[in-house]
Amino acid sequence: MSPEWILDILEKDQILTRQHRITLERAEADRPFSVHWELRVMLYLGILLFTTGAGLLIYENLDRIGHNALLSVLTLLCAACFAFAFRDKKPYMPVQTGTKTPFGEYALLLGCLLFLTLEGYAQYTYTIFGTRYGLVTAIPAVLFIALAYAFDHRGVLSLGLTALISWVGVTIRPLEFYFKGNLRDLSVLVSALLLAVLLIAGALYLDHRRIKRHFTNTTLAFAGNLMLVALIAGLFNFPEYHLILTAVLAVVCYGFAVYARKEQSFLFLLMSTIYGYIGLTYLIFHYLKPGTTTAYLYWIVTGIGLIVYLLSYKKVVSK
């Protein structure tokens, strides 16, 4: 719905005269344009390109630049970013605070990404953690989550949660995690479900205590996706547990649908609907084994129903 479209309607209904329309179009054309989000996107893109370029530079010049020199440069850059972010940090408060200037949060994000590069390079070169691969992800997980709450940074929180989820998979079965796909292993699947439950419980507890409530949806989105993916993977790989996995999947999807309505969040509605649909469809095809014609009808009818449901429900959660 563009301003021109609205002006066309108003002029067509004779609510606006031609002169009024010209005046409004001039006002719209002369209105100051905010480049706030464009600059933020460019800064994030700059950080991404810088860290990618640093990684490529290290990879292609391992034998030309000394290991100690690379580690020293990475350490200095990382320390400089953290120092700048700390200088720009506001005092901790349970509510959303942000930083004194927009550059502080970008410096923190760049410092965290450089820390990952530094840690990975040190492990590759000197194997400082030996074969304890879990430490490689556990350390940044703990560090980033602590920094996220200290500096009030949702991007760093996402990095920490990603590292934490990776840590669960790496710790249980390192080789299978890398080469076979971790959710085919029952122990990894159970660990993923337990971690998701802990994250959801922690997020709801902190939300109840009014501590960084703006982090709640980020944590629930990570934990919810982890739990729903684990449940769907369980349905695919462990038919002997179909009954309990189906019951848990139904409860979780219903819970996220209720939460989506409460928080007016289309993301959680989409999660509950898509994962629920995948699980239900798998069970129907697994047990009923419909023929080709029935399968086509199923995809058409349920696909249309799914779209209508999401569009209609989107209006409800957007009110």
Side-chain angles (χ1 to χ4, degrees):
M1 184 181 293
S2 65
E4 290 78 12
W5 184 82
I6 297 174
L7 291 175
D8 286 341
I9 297 295
L10 294 176
E11 187 177 12
K12 183 180 179 182
D13 294 340
Q14 298 183 343
I15 298 174
L16 287 179
T17 64
R18 186 65 184 170
Q19 186 60 40
H20 287 156
R21 173 174 180 152
I22 293 172
T23 303
L24 290 173
E25 285 178 337
R26 286 177 179 170
E28 178 69 19
D30 296 337
R31 190 177 62 172
F33 176 71
S34 173
V35 294
H36 172 76
W37 289 109
E38 284 78 2
L39 288 175
R40 289 179 71 91
V41 170
M42 289 182 68
L43 283 170
Y44 278 120
L45 186 61
I47 291 173
L48 180 64
L49 291 174
F50 179 80
T51 51
T52 304
L56 287 173
L57 180 68
I58 293 171
Y59 178 76
E60 293 181 353
N61 297 278
L62 280 174
D63 52 348
R64 299 179 186 175
I65 308 174
H67 296 311
N68 292 333
L70 283 173
L71 285 173
S72 300
V73 171
L74 285 173
T75 303
L76 287 175
L77 287 174
C78 192
C81 290
F82 284 136
F84 183 87
F86 186 79
R87 193 187 68 172
D88 203 57
K89 175 181 176 299
K90 289 182 179 177
Y92 173 80
M93 294 181 68
V95 297
Q96 186 171 4
T97 56
T99 53
K100 294 178 182 175
T101 67
F103 299 105
E105 57 182 281
Y106 296 103
L108 180 63
L109 182 62
L110 180 58
C112 291
L113 293 174
L114 287 174
F115 177 82
L116 291 176
T117 305
L118 174 65
E119 184 193 37
Y121 185 67
Q123 169 67 10
Y124 174 78
T125 307
Y126 298 109
T127 57
I128 56 174
F129 300 111
T131 57
R132 293 170 295 178
Y133 301 116
L135 281 176
V136 179
T137 50
I139 290 175
V142 174
L143 176 65
F144 292 170
I145 291 175
L147 288 174
Y149 276 87
F151 286 82
D152 194 23
H153 199 299
R154 267 182 283 199
V156 176
L157 177 67
S158 300
L159 288 177
L161 291 174
T162 304
L164 185 62
I165 292 170
S166 302
W167 171 73
V168 172
V170 172
T171 299
I172 300 301
R173 293 291 176 85
L175 294 179
E176 290 192 5
F177 175 82
Y178 285 122
F179 299 118
K180 295 183 180 179
N182 52 340
L183 290 179
R184 293 177 183 174
D185 188 293
L186 186 60
S187 58
V188 178
L189 188 80
V190 173
S191 299
L193 290 173
L194 290 176
L195 176 61
V197 170
L198 286 175
L199 287 175
I200 291 173
L204 294 178
Y205 174 75
L206 292 176
D207 185 79
H208 177 70
R209 295 292 304 269
R210 298 183 177 277
I211 299 174
K212 300 295 181 187
R213 299 187 73 183
H214 54 292
F215 283 179
T216 302
N217 283 352
T218 302
T219 308
L220 288 181
F222 269 85
N225 275 298
L226 176 64
M227 174 175 283
L228 290 167
V229 166
L231 289 170
I232 293 295
L235 285 178
F236 288 173
N237 298 316
F238 303 100
E240 63 273 25
Y241 298 115
H242 271 181
L243 184 60
I244 186 170
L245 289 171
T246 302
V248 175
L249 179 64
V251 171
V252 173
C253 288
Y254 176 75
F256 276 113
V258 172
Y259 185 79
R261 191 182 182 95
K262 177 187 173 187
E263 296 294 322
Q264 298 186 345
S265 169
F266 187 69
L267 171 63
F268 293 107
L269 170 69
L270 194 63
M271 283 170 51
S272 65
T273 305
I274 296 299
Y275 285 112
Y277 178 74
I278 292 173
L280 178 63
T281 301
Y282 173 77
L283 291 173
I284 289 174
F285 277 76
H286 181 77
Y287 286 106
L288 301 181
K289 301 184 185 308
T292 305
T293 305
T294 307
Y296 280 133
L297 285 174
Y298 174 83
W299 291 117
I300 293 172
V301 172
T302 56
I304 294 173
L306 195 66
I307 293 171
V308 171
Y309 170 75
L310 287 174
L311 290 176
S312 61
Y313 212 79
K314 182 181 178 182
K315 297 177 182 176
V316 176
V317 299
S318 300
K319 286 181 179 178

PDB file of all heavy atoms in Angstrom, residues 211-225:
ATOM      1  N   ILE A 211      14.035  -9.735  34.196  1.00  0.00           N
ATOM      2  CA  ILE A 211      15.458  -9.571  33.900  1.00  0.00           C
ATOM      3  C   ILE A 211      15.660  -9.724  32.400  1.00  0.00           C
ATOM      4  O   ILE A 211      15.447 -10.810  31.849  1.00  0.00           O
ATOM      5  CB  ILE A 211      16.305 -10.602  34.668  1.00  0.00           C
ATOM      6  CG1 ILE A 211      16.132 -10.410  36.176  1.00  0.00           C
ATOM      7  CG2 ILE A 211      17.779 -10.499  34.278  1.00  0.00           C
ATOM      8  CD1 ILE A 211      16.798 -11.459  37.015  1.00  0.00           C
ATOM      9  N   LYS A 212      16.042  -8.649  31.743  1.00  0.00           N
ATOM     10  CA  LYS A 212      16.279  -8.648  30.307  1.00  0.00           C
ATOM     11  C   LYS A 212      15.124  -9.325  29.554  1.00  0.00           C
ATOM     12  O   LYS A 212      15.321 -10.294  28.803  1.00  0.00           O
ATOM     13  CB  LYS A 212      17.605  -9.345  29.985  1.00  0.00           C
ATOM     14  CG  LYS A 212      18.823  -8.701  30.618  1.00  0.00           C
ATOM     15  CD  LYS A 212      19.088  -7.307  30.079  1.00  0.00           C
ATOM     16  CE  LYS A 212      20.318  -6.671  30.687  1.00  0.00           C
ATOM     17  NZ  LYS A 212      20.505  -5.255  30.287  1.00  0.00           N
ATOM     18  N   ARG A 213      13.936  -8.805  29.742  1.00  0.00           N
ATOM     19  CA  ARG A 213      12.756  -9.440  29.134  1.00  0.00           C
ATOM     20  C   ARG A 213      12.798  -9.400  27.610  1.00  0.00           C
ATOM     21  O   ARG A 213      12.137 -10.208  26.952  1.00  0.00           O
ATOM     22  CB  ARG A 213      11.496  -8.753  29.643  1.00  0.00           C
ATOM     23  CG  ARG A 213      11.310  -8.849  31.138  1.00  0.00           C
ATOM     24  CD  ARG A 213       9.984  -8.297  31.570  1.00  0.00           C
ATOM     25  NE  ARG A 213       8.894  -9.191  31.197  1.00  0.00           N
ATOM     26  CZ  ARG A 213       7.617  -8.925  31.413  1.00  0.00           C
ATOM     27  NH1 ARG A 213       7.275  -7.803  32.001  1.00  0.00           N
ATOM     28  NH2 ARG A 213       6.696  -9.772  31.057  1.00  0.00           N
ATOM     29  N   HIS A 214      13.563  -8.458  27.060  1.00  0.00           N
ATOM     30  CA  HIS A 214      13.644  -8.406  25.600  1.00  0.00           C
ATOM     31  C   HIS A 214      14.488  -9.544  25.031  1.00  0.00           C
ATOM     32  O   HIS A 214      14.553  -9.712  23.814  1.00  0.00           O
ATOM     33  CB  HIS A 214      14.218  -7.056  25.152  1.00  0.00           C
ATOM     34  CG  HIS A 214      15.521  -6.702  25.787  1.00  0.00           C
ATOM     35  ND1 HIS A 214      15.658  -6.407  27.125  1.00  0.00           N
ATOM     36  CD2 HIS A 214      16.772  -6.607  25.267  1.00  0.00           C
ATOM     37  CE1 HIS A 214      16.921  -6.142  27.402  1.00  0.00           C
ATOM     38  NE2 HIS A 214      17.619  -6.251  26.283  1.00  0.00           N
ATOM     39  N   PHE A 215      15.158 -10.324  25.900  1.00  0.00           N
ATOM     40  CA  PHE A 215      15.885 -11.507  25.447  1.00  0.00           C
ATOM     41  C   PHE A 215      14.977 -12.734  25.372  1.00  0.00           C
ATOM     42  O   PHE A 215      15.372 -13.759  24.823  1.00  0.00           O
ATOM     43  CB  PHE A 215      17.037 -11.827  26.407  1.00  0.00           C
ATOM     44  CG  PHE A 215      18.243 -10.934  26.251  1.00  0.00           C
ATOM     45  CD1 PHE A 215      19.343 -11.099  27.072  1.00  0.00           C
ATOM     46  CD2 PHE A 215      18.280  -9.941  25.286  1.00  0.00           C
ATOM     47  CE1 PHE A 215      20.476 -10.282  26.930  1.00  0.00           C
ATOM     48  CE2 PHE A 215      19.385  -9.108  25.146  1.00  0.00           C
ATOM     49  CZ  PHE A 215      20.478  -9.288  25.965  1.00  0.00           C
ATOM     50  N   THR A 216      13.803 -12.648  25.957  1.00  0.00           N
ATOM     51  CA  THR A 216      12.958 -13.842  26.104  1.00  0.00           C
ATOM     52  C   THR A 216      12.608 -14.458  24.753  1.00  0.00           C
ATOM     53  O   THR A 216      12.767 -15.673  24.549  1.00  0.00           O
ATOM     54  CB  THR A 216      11.664 -13.475  26.858  1.00  0.00           C
ATOM     55  OG1 THR A 216      12.006 -12.925  28.123  1.00  0.00           O
ATOM     56  CG2 THR A 216      10.808 -14.712  27.070  1.00  0.00           C
ATOM     57  N   ASN A 217      12.133 -13.651  23.830  1.00  0.00           N
ATOM     58  CA  ASN A 217      11.719 -14.207  22.542  1.00  0.00           C
ATOM     59  C   ASN A 217      12.890 -14.788  21.761  1.00  0.00           C
ATOM     60  O   ASN A 217      12.740 -15.788  21.052  1.00  0.00           O
ATOM     61  CB  ASN A 217      11.018 -13.118  21.717  1.00  0.00           C
ATOM     62  CG  ASN A 217       9.605 -12.873  22.197  1.00  0.00           C
ATOM     63  OD1 ASN A 217       9.097 -13.607  23.045  1.00  0.00           O
ATOM     64  ND2 ASN A 217       8.966 -11.846  21.682  1.00  0.00           N
ATOM     65  N   THR A 218      14.078 -14.159  21.884  1.00  0.00           N
ATOM     66  CA  THR A 218      15.257 -14.696  21.201  1.00  0.00           C
ATOM     67  C   THR A 218      15.592 -16.087  21.731  1.00  0.00           C
ATOM     68  O   THR A 218      15.820 -17.033  20.967  1.00  0.00           O
ATOM     69  CB  THR A 218      16.457 -13.756  21.406  1.00  0.00           C
ATOM     70  OG1 THR A 218      16.127 -12.457  20.922  1.00  0.00           O
ATOM     71  CG2 THR A 218      17.676 -14.269  20.653  1.00  0.00           C
ATOM     72  N   THR A 219      15.627 -16.214  23.053  1.00  0.00           N
ATOM     73  CA  THR A 219      15.939 -17.516  23.656  1.00  0.00           C
ATOM     74  C   THR A 219      14.867 -18.550  23.337  1.00  0.00           C
ATOM     75  O   THR A 219      15.173 -19.707  23.011  1.00  0.00           O
ATOM     76  CB  THR A 219      16.077 -17.364  25.184  1.00  0.00           C
ATOM     77  OG1 THR A 219      17.003 -16.314  25.474  1.00  0.00           O
ATOM     78  CG2 THR A 219      16.575 -18.646  25.808  1.00  0.00           C
ATOM     79  N   LEU A 220      13.599 -18.133  23.416  1.00  0.00           N
ATOM     80  CA  LEU A 220      12.518 -19.084  23.127  1.00  0.00           C
ATOM     81  C   LEU A 220      12.541 -19.519  21.666  1.00  0.00           C
ATOM     82  O   LEU A 220      12.221 -20.667  21.348  1.00  0.00           O
ATOM     83  CB  LEU A 220      11.166 -18.447  23.465  1.00  0.00           C
ATOM     84  CG  LEU A 220      10.852 -18.285  24.959  1.00  0.00           C
ATOM     85  CD1 LEU A 220       9.473 -17.652  25.140  1.00  0.00           C
ATOM     86  CD2 LEU A 220      10.897 -19.636  25.672  1.00  0.00           C
ATOM     87  N   ALA A 221      12.915 -18.611  20.771  1.00  0.00           N
ATOM     88  CA  ALA A 221      12.984 -18.987  19.354  1.00  0.00           C
ATOM     89  C   ALA A 221      14.066 -20.041  19.126  1.00  0.00           C
ATOM     90  O   ALA A 221      13.849 -21.040  18.426  1.00  0.00           O
ATOM     91  CB  ALA A 221      13.254 -17.749  18.502  1.00  0.00           C
ATOM     92  N   PHE A 222      15.245 -19.844  19.740  1.00  0.00           N
ATOM     93  CA  PHE A 222      16.316 -20.841  19.611  1.00  0.00           C
ATOM     94  C   PHE A 222      15.897 -22.163  20.246  1.00  0.00           C
ATOM     95  O   PHE A 222      16.023 -23.225  19.631  1.00  0.00           O
ATOM     96  CB  PHE A 222      17.592 -20.317  20.286  1.00  0.00           C
ATOM     97  CG  PHE A 222      18.492 -19.563  19.355  1.00  0.00           C
ATOM     98  CD1 PHE A 222      18.291 -18.226  19.122  1.00  0.00           C
ATOM     99  CD2 PHE A 222      19.531 -20.208  18.704  1.00  0.00           C
ATOM    100  CE1 PHE A 222      19.108 -17.514  18.256  1.00  0.00           C
ATOM    101  CE2 PHE A 222      20.351 -19.519  17.834  1.00  0.00           C
ATOM    102  CZ  PHE A 222      20.151 -18.163  17.612  1.00  0.00           C
ATOM    103  N   ALA A 223      15.433 -22.085  21.493  1.00  0.00           N
ATOM    104  CA  ALA A 223      15.075 -23.311  22.212  1.00  0.00           C
ATOM    105  C   ALA A 223      13.890 -24.012  21.551  1.00  0.00           C
ATOM    106  O   ALA A 223      13.862 -25.245  21.461  1.00  0.00           O
ATOM    107  CB  ALA A 223      14.742 -22.973  23.669  1.00  0.00           C
ATOM    108  N   GLY A 224      12.921 -23.231  21.095  1.00  0.00           N
ATOM    109  CA  GLY A 224      11.751 -23.825  20.447  1.00  0.00           C
ATOM    110  C   GLY A 224      12.124 -24.547  19.167  1.00  0.00           C
ATOM    111  O   GLY A 224      11.657 -25.675  18.921  1.00  0.00           O
ATOM    112  N   ASN A 225      12.947 -23.927  18.349  1.00  0.00           N
ATOM    113  CA  ASN A 225      13.379 -24.591  17.119  1.00  0.00           C
ATOM    114  C   ASN A 225      14.174 -25.850  17.426  1.00  0.00           C
ATOM    115  O   ASN A 225      14.005 -26.880  16.765  1.00  0.00           O
ATOM    116  CB  ASN A 225      14.221 -23.626  16.277  1.00  0.00           C
ATOM    117  CG  ASN A 225      13.368 -22.729  15.407  1.00  0.00           C
ATOM    118  OD1 ASN A 225      12.635 -23.209  14.535  1.00  0.00           O
ATOM    119  ND2 ASN A 225      13.427 -21.438  15.649  1.00  0.00           N
TER     120      ASN A 225
END
